[in-house]
Amino acid sequence: MSEKVLYALTGLFETPDQIIDAAEKTSDGGYKKYDVNTPYPLHGMNQAMKLPPSKLGYAALVFGLSGTVSALALMYWMAVIDYAHVIGGKPYFPLPAFVPVMFEVTVLSAAIATVFTMLFVVFKFPNNSHPLHDTEYMKSVSRDKYGICILAEDEKFDENGTLKFLEELGATNITHQYFTEDSYATWWSVLDKKFAGILAVTAIATSLVVYIGLNKVLYMQPFSWMMEQEKLNPQKGSVLFADGFSMRNPVQGTIARGDLPYEYAVDPEGASKLVNPLPITEANLQLGKVKYDIYCSPCHGFMGEGDSRLRGQFPNPPSLHSEKVRDWTDGRIYHVIAMGQNVMPSYSSQLSRNEKWATILYVRALQRSLNAKESDLQ
Amino acid sequence: MSTVDYSQELSVVEGRPSLRELDDLISKPLESKPDKKFFIAISFTGLMLLTGITALGASFIYGTGLWGNNNPVGWGFPIVNFVFWVGIGHAGTLISAILFLFRQKWRTGIARFAEGMTIFAVITAAMFPLIHTGRPWLPLYLAPYPNQHSIWPNFISPLLWDVFAVSTYFIVSLIFWYVGLIPDLAVLRDKAGTKVKKTIYSIFSLGWRFSNRHWQHYEMMYLILAGFATPLVLSVHTIVSYDFAVSIMPGWHATIFPPYFVAGAVFSGFAMVQNVLIFIRKIFNYEHIITLKVLENMNKIILLTGSLVGYAYAMEFFIAWYSGVQAEQFTFINRAFGPYAWAYWIMISCNVISPQLFWFKKIRTSIPIMFVLGVLVNVGMWFERFVITVTSLSRDYLPSSWAYYTPTITDFGILIGSFGLFFTLLLIFTKTLPVISIAEVKAVVDGAQPTHKDH
């Protein structure tokens, strides 16, 4: 235990009027480092003690505004730069829709910052080892007495003189308050072994809980029930069927909806006998044009002349206006679309039967546009 | 009739108790063992809570199919209860922030308790959107954090604004409540009998030493917080109302929703605070701190907000007619005369008609009558949320999808459980923390402030 050092002289008063008077006289008497302790804030005490106005408002302003700006910046970055996508037909940066979040973040950061600045920066709390703690003086002023406390480090302080000064003010219970060097040392003991230990344990425990919670617990029952359902998935094994697969072959002779097997796969000439089942109507031609423009035009060109957008990058396809193609029956063209020819692949997976026939109607129309007959003029 | 001298401010605390008496009276519930009545009360609320836990447990095991929610009424009870409880939570901050800015001294006796109710009501409310998502263990997805899906929340959705509003409201209310508690905890620290109590109070009072150099900043901080909490409290129910108003459902898509919801929230919140305070002042002998005058003032606010709500109901009808939108007109006629007419008329009679009785001073100052009216107001406000949510959804634009919503026993179990949770937390609060702000009440007792006569 190191030696006791005088911290302050304290005195008590009974009424609010007395303490206001005492505070005024103390500050007029030239004391700077003194304090008044009262169970609740007194009107007029700030003037009596000549305290400058509190500057906490600036903390609120600065942190509040930085909350607004960072909320806006963060939302802008998320919604416009990092992952821009249209939601509900709105612009990427709909400012009015961002206002509620900006407002809430402003209030949140201003409120937290004001309180934290006050408690931890201005008051330097928590501080439970202050010399006045646990003294009879503190126990009186916390309840119904009004106390004044003149610190020993004040320039005008002089043990006997100040004692006399307090007596003249009419203070009762004038007490010498001491502290030990030990207690001073622990005033800012953030790096204390015990505290650091607790901090480390808390940090490790929190990280563990978060890690286990997010990576393990969430994949355990009951949270995984949605994923682990009692149903057969295509690539999963099965105990239900003899072969151990959960995937079944379709019943023999099954065909997909709208899909008739193509019987002339190896017989192009046989396919020539096929007849286009579609009548020449505007709707069919329109359908054919749409499909032709999507699937055929990249190589054959919009006009079927082989002047494609991919010209030069692939072997050039022949013109659809050649005599050979003009003389082909619809069925023969159908065969090329269905089975492919040379480097042209099959378009069966892209075009349904009707779409193929509609495309052929459109191809015929294109051919007629360059090789019109006289009868077309009428 | 006696004449009143209006030039003198009337004292808000009756009987000039000494400061020491106030300390002892307010901290008495914390220093005495809970009595039989307390145990009866907490076992009752505990039973309600247990009902809710059972219903929730069943919902987790068997799924949300146990609830009445279905097409087209996908919102049902969980959202009704959410809006109801968030509304209850509005009285606390209103009392501690808005009435503080208006220098209403009568608020000092009830502010702490109302703030506590705010926090518990928001906790209760926050439970409902979580369970309504069906996956209450994944609330993290609501926060904008860098995640493995590499996507961000949708910032233009009112549901996301809601997350920000309610969580901000909770945190700010909690901070407000805690900084208010610091001086009181310091009083308790200096009064504490046992070492354990002393240690706990020392930790949470952070070493407060009633210094006037601190009080000065403390009062400034309180003013700043009140300044921020005032728009905050208005924003929270505004944003809750956006959940409805930003959609295009008939009966929801209305610009009157934000003020209408805020008025309704204050209305129900005050009714709840008034109800609970009637018991608190009686049980703990706080009749001279929470005076009849305080209750009367609260009833006046209930009357004001009740009339605002009544005006909003009328205006909704008017706008539906005036807009000329068929779906809108149908919705309101359907509300009043359709299959949910019973709920609508419960709402009208409890919310619009019953608070009008507070025009009479006799009724405003009669404790049994004001208690009954307070209960009616909360019944009415619960039904208001039910009417808004359910009637609009059950009959939307597409007549083929219309259906009648019937809540299940599980829904009611969860509703009862929410009341159980709220009141259990309140009961624990009355036994662990001072329900009246000691420092604030001391400051408004007669003779507590200097007279400054020599100036």
Side-chain angles (χ1 to χ4, degrees), chain B residues 205-224:
Chain B
S205 62
L206 299 174
W208 183 261
R209 42 183 196 275
F210 301 94
S211 154
N212 263 279
R213 289 176 193 274
H214 290 177
W215 279 124
Q216 185 213 7
H217 293 294
Y218 184 87
E219 288 198 298
M220 174 55 81
M221 177 277 308
Y222 210 85
L223 188 67
I224 292 170

Side-chain angles (χ1 to χ4, degrees), chain A residues 182-314:
Chain A
D182 288 354
S183 65
Y184 241 129
T186 50
W187 272 28
W188 38 81
S189 53
V190 183
L191 296 176
D192 182 62
K193 264 186 204 159
K194 220 195 239 170
F195 182 75
I198 292 173
L199 208 64
V201 170
T202 316
I204 292 169
T206 316
S207 326
L208 271 180
V209 166
V210 171
Y211 176 80
I212 293 171
L214 288 182
N215 292 293
K216 303 284 176 246
V217 177
L218 275 190
Y219 296 96
M220 282 156 57
Q221 284 180 353
F223 307 124
S224 57
W225 277 347
M226 188 69 99
M227 285 170 271
E228 293 165 11
Q229 295 180 10
E230 302 249 336
K231 66 177 185 190
L232 296 177
N233 287 327
Q235 304 294 334
K236 258 189 184 172
S238 160
V239 287
L240 196 61
F241 301 111
D243 59 1
F245 289 102
S246 58
M247 225 165 21
R248 301 286 86 200
N249 286 323
V251 177
Q252 222 164 21
T254 308
I255 55 163
R257 242 168 212 274
D259 186 35
L260 280 180
Y262 181 60
E263 42 187 312
Y264 303 107
V266 289
D267 182 14
E269 294 316 314
S272 304
K273 284 177 283 180
L274 290 172
V275 179
N276 196 336
L278 298 186
I280 303 176
T281 62
E282 202 182 329
N284 284 334
L285 280 171
Q286 199 58 43
L287 175 67
K289 176 175 163 49
V290 169
K291 295 299 167 188
Y292 179 89
D293 285 353
I294 293 172
Y295 296 111
C296 314
S297 75
C299 294
H300 289 289
F302 285 113
M303 295 303 150
E305 293 170 312
D307 53 341
S308 68
R309 307 194 281 287
L310 295 174
R311 198 171 189 85
Q313 300 174 45
F314 281 99

Side-chain angles (χ1 to χ4, degrees), chain A residues 250 253-261 348-349 351-356:
Chain A
T254 308
I255 55 163
R257 242 168 212 274
D259 186 35
L260 280 180
S348 281
S349 56
L351 296 168
S352 72
R353 261 169 72 234
N354 275 357
E355 285 165 355
K356 283 185 203 120

Side-chain angles (χ1 to χ4, degrees), chain B residues 23-341:
Chain B
D23 273 0
D24 291 334
L25 181 68
I26 296 173
S27 56
K28 199 179 153 208
L30 317 181
E31 286 158 358
S32 53
K33 281 236 155 61
D35 59 2
K36 212 162 132 195
K37 270 190 237 155
F38 180 82
F39 282 114
I40 293 172
I42 204 161
S43 33
F44 186 69
T45 61
L47 204 66
M48 286 163 74
L49 181 58
L50 210 63
T51 315
I53 292 173
T54 315
L56 264 185
S59 310
F60 287 145
I61 292 169
Y62 300 109
T64 49
L66 286 184
W67 304 345
N69 304 25
N70 210 330
N71 280 334
V73 184
W75 273 11
F77 261 38
I79 299 302
V80 174
N81 295 342
F82 164 69
V83 182
F84 174 75
W85 281 113
V86 172
I88 295 288
H90 272 56
T93 315
L94 187 102
I95 291 170
S96 54
I98 300 184
L99 295 186
F100 175 79
L101 293 183
F102 281 118
R103 298 283 185 273
Q104 296 295 306
K105 275 192 194 163
W106 56 272
R107 64 171 271 288
T108 47
I110 57 174
R112 166 72 45 73
F113 194 78
E115 284 166 30
M117 285 179 64
T118 292
I119 290 164
F120 304 140
V122 175
I123 291 174
T124 313
M127 181 180 88
F128 285 103
L130 282 189
I131 62 169
H132 189 243
T133 61
R135 232 75 58 82
W137 50 90
L138 296 175
L140 200 61
Y141 286 176
L142 296 166
Y145 74 108
N147 52 37
Q148 69 271 45
H149 318 297
S150 62
I151 52 172
W152 301 105
N154 174 10
F155 284 105
I156 66 175
S157 160
L159 299 180
L160 181 105
W161 305 343
D162 221 10
V163 173
F164 274 82
V166 173
S167 51
T168 301
Y169 188 49
F170 179 72
I171 294 169
V172 173
S173 302
L174 196 66
I175 290 176
F176 214 175
W177 194 52
Y178 176 64
V179 291
L181 269 168
I182 292 175
D184 289 8
L185 289 170
V187 172
L188 294 170
R189 169 196 73 198
D190 287 349
K191 277 182 94 231
T194 64
K195 193 149 193 287
V196 178
K197 267 191 178 177
K198 193 178 167 68
T199 312
I200 294 172
Y201 287 137
S202 293
I203 291 172
F204 285 102
S205 62
L206 299 174
W208 183 261
R209 42 183 196 275
F210 301 94
S211 154
N212 263 279
R213 289 176 193 274
H214 290 177
W215 279 124
Q216 185 213 7
H217 293 294
Y218 184 87
E219 288 198 298
M220 174 55 81
M221 177 277 308
Y222 210 85
L223 188 67
I224 292 170
L225 271 196
F228 276 110
T230 298
L232 175 67
V233 69
L234 300 181
S235 84
V236 174
H237 230 58
T238 297
I239 291 177
V240 170
S241 83
Y242 285 165
D243 291 346
F244 297 87
V246 173
S247 77
I248 51 165
M249 282 305 273
W252 289 3
H253 190 57
T255 45
I256 201 176
F257 259 44
Y260 159 37
F261 265 53
V262 171
V266 174
F267 184 47
S268 65
F270 263 71
M272 185 66 100
V273 174
Q274 178 243 54
N275 270 349
V276 181
L277 282 181
I278 287 173
F279 286 99
I280 294 290
R281 71 196 282 274
K282 184 88 194 145
I283 292 169
F284 298 121
N285 299 321
Y286 294 156
E287 277 122 326
H288 58 302
I289 303 173
I290 306 168
T291 56
L292 201 57
K293 179 85 186 150
V294 171
L295 294 177
E296 194 193 338
N297 284 338
M298 298 190 69
N299 291 339
K300 283 181 186 167
I301 293 182
I302 293 175
L303 173 60
L304 169 74
T305 49
S307 306
L308 283 175
V309 167
Y311 170 79
Y313 295 156
M315 197 43 67
E316 278 190 314
F317 264 87
F318 170 75
I319 292 292
W321 166 75
Y322 188 66
S323 69
V325 178
Q326 258 193 335
E328 212 45 54
Q329 290 167 353
F330 166 77
T331 300
F332 282 95
I333 291 170
N334 179 48
R335 265 187 200 175
F337 307 108
Y340 291 103

Side-chain angles (χ1 to χ4, degrees), chain A residues 8-161:
Chain A
L9 273 173
T10 58
L12 293 176
F13 296 87
E14 291 295 327
T15 69
D17 283 332
Q18 279 176 333
I19 189 75
I20 289 275
D21 185 48
E24 245 163 24
K25 283 184 178 145
T26 313
S27 81
D28 289 343
Y31 287 101
K32 293 269 181 312
K33 292 182 176 166
Y34 70 99
D35 206 345
V36 175
N37 302 75
T38 54
Y40 52 87
L42 286 176
H43 295 170
M45 183 54 89
N46 299 344
Q47 289 85 334
M49 288 174 76
K50 300 193 176 63
L51 296 176
S54 169
K55 292 198 177 62
L56 273 178
Y58 293 103
L61 181 74
V62 169
F63 284 96
L65 282 181
S66 43
T68 322
V69 172
S70 44
L72 181 64
L74 207 65
M75 284 188 291
Y76 179 83
W77 180 77
M78 286 169 184
V80 179
I81 298 170
D82 188 51
Y83 199 106
H85 64 305
V86 177
I87 301 165
K90 304 286 191 303
Y92 288 134
F93 186 64
L95 190 58
F98 285 172
V99 169
V101 171
M102 279 159 64
F103 171 78
E104 300 299 333
V105 176
T106 308
V107 170
L108 186 65
S109 39
I112 292 179
T114 312
V115 172
F116 279 27
T117 310
M118 181 190 80
L119 289 179
F120 304 126
V121 180
V122 181
F123 296 176
K124 300 199 171 54
F125 278 174
N127 179 1
N128 272 313
S129 41
H130 191 275
L132 289 181
H133 270 292
D134 266 342
T135 56
E136 283 305 314
Y137 172 75
M138 185 50 65
K139 285 182 183 165
S140 309
V141 296
S142 72
R143 304 203 56 188
D144 58 349
K145 295 284 190 285
Y146 309 88
I148 195 157
C149 159
I150 301 178
L151 265 59
E153 51 184 310
D154 191 278
E155 276 170 19
K156 265 202 83 194
F157 187 88
D158 132 53
E159 206 172 331
N160 295 322

